[in-house]
Amino acid sequence: HKLALDRACMQLQLQDTDCKVILVKMGRMDTPLVAHRVGYPKIATQHIVEYLNWIIHQPDNMLIKNLTIDQLHSNRMVA
């Protein structure tokens, strides 16, 4: 499904329109969905809000096509 989403975003980005289509891939966020992953680093949701706000407020002639956000060493347990 992720590959299909990637391809759909690329196709939409090629359309001649004033809409911007941006693919944002996020790592493990600190939400109830991953609460069981105790001891692993998670991205604070406030940071995600800040990154998305930054993308949205880019100049009209600028298109950030995709952004991947993840914690460094997200698969390592925190001591």
Side-chain angles (χ1 to χ4, degrees), residues 49-72:
V49 170
E50 292 169 7
Y51 303 142
L52 295 178
N53 192 41
W54 176 79
I55 290 172
I56 290 168
H57 289 94
Q58 292 304 301
D60 289 341
N61 66 339
M62 181 65 59
L63 174 61
I64 297 171
K65 293 184 177 184
N66 56 62
L67 178 67
T68 302
I69 305 168
D70 203 355
Q71 283 285 104
L72 184 63

Side-chain angles (χ1 to χ4, degrees), residues 5-6 13 16 19 39 56 58:
L5 183 59
D6 264 345
Q13 289 166 345
D16 187 13
C19 295
I56 290 168
Q58 292 304 301

